[in-house]
Amino acid sequence: MQELEVKTGRSVEDIRTGLLALEQDNYITWEDKSDTRHIVIIEGWERGQIRPMSPGDANRYF
């Protein structure tokens, strides 16, 4: 959580609120809220957006 504070410039409460909103919208699961290490990403991009290329896709594109 401290690293998120430093990198985002947000307070712990703001970060926690954002993470809970992501969980409510089913972008992440966060069963054990004692630590951010327990967060599992379900969707890594916004819905309705084109999915970014996977690392291996760039080689196949060119």
Side-chain angles (χ1 to χ4, degrees):
M1 190 64 79
Q2 183 179 3
E3 188 173 341
L4 286 173
E5 277 185 283
V6 171
K7 292 188 179 208
T8 64
R10 303 279 184 152
S11 69
V12 171
E13 188 59 37
D14 286 345
I15 294 168
R16 185 173 298 278
T17 300
L19 290 171
L20 291 173
L22 289 172
E23 183 180 38
Q24 184 176 358
D25 291 341
N26 293 318
Y27 282 100
I28 65 171
T29 60
W30 191 20
E31 292 181 19
D32 181 357
K33 293 178 177 46
S34 67
D35 195 339
T36 56
R37 285 183 259 185
H38 303 287
I39 295 172
V40 176
I41 299 171
I42 299 171
E43 289 190 53
W45 52 89
E46 289 190 46
R47 294 179 187 116
Q49 299 287 323
I50 297 173
R51 186 178 151 260
M53 289 193 305
S54 300
D57 290 346
N59 293 334
R60 287 189 294 263
Y61 179 76
F62 298 104

